[in-house]
Amino acid sequence: MKCLIIDVVSPAIAEELGKYMEVDTKILPTQEELAGMIGDYEVLIMRVDPAINKTILDAAKKLKVIGVCSVGLNHVDMDTAKANGVQVFNAPGLNGNAVAELTISKMLDMSRHTIPACNDVKINKNWDKYKFVGRELRGKTLGVLGFGRIGQRVGELARAFLMDVVAYDPYLPAEVFEQQHAKSMTIEEVLKVSDFVTIHMPLTPETKDLFNAKSIAGMKDDAVVLNMARGGIVNEKDMYEALKAGKIGGYASDVMENELAGGGLTEDAGFDSPLFECDNFIVSPHLGAQTSDASRDIGAHIINKVKEALDLK
């Protein structure tokens, strides 16, 4: 039996599964490369790249289990996986605190201009505190789009800063909002009243380009959008135009629409976007779950799921 690991995950996965099978590693192969090699493996361990399409799954003649060390499954052709008898396991909730803390971090960075201030000191050799007058989170309204595990944790942390929390999630009963001290609203209402709006929704046809010129126009001019979910939820062209025109206060993201365009993380590939011109845009390279704590917890979960699925004792 053989296992293929195609992303940087907890080393405990290779160590434990290596007791039962041969474990190979190929970090972020292309779809074509993966299709060419997957036929030899019963287990695939991955995160979100590359997308697992029908071509890959049809080439995976021996594949029994895909362990996804992240939350979303929109990158896996679940219909074909089911038809081919491949079990797919993800790790819901186990990176929730890591993503929530990153969201709060970016709120503070945007509010206090810490990144441009740091650059002004280190790069420009300036020491001018008067250029960076910020605002506090206290008393501001945080709008949460997608009030699941991550969204609720963000709300909990925000309340510690004495923020008011409003949220949109059509799949939750009213008592959850009450328990979390959040007011349930429509998307339009959330956008209208919020000083900060944080996205914690999956990328679906319904959420694709949810933030566009029209929806941004319904927000406060100094509002900040935070996106720790998926890049495609924000129309980056419209966001760029809004930032340049002063129609919105800022955009802080951990994701972008074409994160792996032109080679992504491999072979020193470059990455660029018109958004990089905007001073009120900050970004990190999809590191929401990149903590040793989350990696440990996710690794243990995936190990248990794979062993259970394959009846490994």
Side-chain angles (χ1 to χ4, degrees):
M1 193 176 294
K2 297 179 70 176
C3 169
L4 177 64
I5 298 176
I6 62 170
D7 209 328
V8 178
V9 297
S10 170
I13 295 177
E15 181 180 348
E16 180 63 21
L17 295 184
K19 299 174 183 177
Y20 305 93
M21 64 191 77
E22 180 181 338
V23 178
D24 296 327
T25 300
K26 169 67 175 176
I27 300 299
L28 293 179
T30 65
Q31 288 181 317
E32 292 76 16
E33 288 173 335
L34 185 57
M37 63 195 302
I38 194 63
D40 293 332
Y41 296 93
E42 285 83 6
V43 178
L44 174 66
I45 302 294
M46 64 176 303
R47 293 179 72 178
V48 297
D49 298 299
I52 305 301
N53 56 22
K54 188 176 189 301
T55 300
I56 293 171
L57 289 167
D58 285 346
K61 301 301 184 183
K62 298 181 180 179
L63 193 63
K64 298 177 180 178
V65 177
I66 300 176
V68 179
C69 298
S70 62
V71 178
L73 289 174
N74 57 291
H75 57 289
V76 179
D77 182 341
M78 295 297 288
D79 291 336
T80 301
K82 182 177 180 180
N84 291 5
V86 178
Q87 298 184 65
V88 183
F89 301 111
N90 63 343
L94 296 178
N95 67 355
N97 187 70
V99 176
E101 289 187 6
L102 181 65
T103 303
I104 297 296
S105 169
K106 287 187 184 291
M107 267 202 285
L108 290 166
D109 285 333
M110 294 297 288
S111 297
R112 300 305 301 271
H113 312 297
T114 55
I115 293 177
C118 176
N119 292 337
D120 199 42
V121 174
K122 293 177 66 175
I123 298 173
N124 301 328
K125 314 300 182 184
N126 288 331
W127 190 268
D128 185 356
K129 64 184 177 183
Y130 303 107
K131 293 170 62 176
F132 303 102
V133 178
R135 57 176 177 167
E136 299 177 19
L137 300 186
R138 178 185 56 174
K140 304 304 187 295
T141 297
L142 172 66
V144 184
L145 300 183
F147 207 46
R149 292 182 179 93
I150 297 174
Q152 289 176 33
R153 179 60 175 156
V154 172
E156 181 182 12
L157 295 174
R159 292 197 305 277
F161 287 89
L162 303 181
M163 300 184 79
D164 295 318
V165 180
V166 300
Y168 165 79
D169 197 314
Y171 303 105
L172 293 180
E175 55 262 29
V176 173
F177 293 92
E178 295 171 7
Q179 293 165 2
Q180 297 295 323
H181 307 285
K183 185 176 181 180
S184 176
M185 291 185 170
T186 65
I187 292 179
E188 291 75 17
E189 290 170 336
V190 168
L191 298 184
K192 182 178 180 180
V193 305
S194 297
D195 300 292
F196 299 85
V197 176
T198 182
I199 305 167
H200 301 289
M201 314 166 85
L203 178 61
T204 67
E206 290 73 32
T207 63
K208 171 71 173 170
D209 291 331
L210 176 65
F211 278 81
N212 53 39
K214 181 179 179 180
S215 57
I216 292 170
M219 301 180 69
K220 297 179 179 181
D221 287 346
D222 61 351
V224 172
V225 174
L226 304 121
N227 186 6
M228 310 303 131
R230 290 291 184 270
I233 298 174
V234 173
N235 183 301
E236 293 176 3
K237 180 178 182 298
D238 288 357
M239 180 60 74
Y240 170 79
E241 297 293 342
L243 291 171
K244 296 297 283 188
K247 295 294 186 183
I248 195 168
Y251 179 40
S253 185
D254 188 45
V255 292
M256 297 198 73
E257 188 169 9
N258 295 306
E259 293 176 12
L260 296 186
L265 307 180
T266 60
E267 300 176 357
D268 298 318
F271 189 72
D272 201 0
S273 167
L275 284 168
F276 296 172
E277 302 171 14
C278 302
D279 292 335
N280 48 353
F281 170 65
I282 64 174
V283 63
S284 49
H286 207 150
L287 51 75
Q290 288 290 94
T291 68
S292 56
D293 314 78
S295 177
R296 177 197 64 226
D297 295 344
I298 290 170
H301 174 78
I302 292 298
I303 288 168
N304 289 336
K305 285 293 187 180
V306 171
K307 291 173 70 174
E308 180 183 321
L310 299 178
D311 196 26
L312 302 176
K313 305 297 185 182

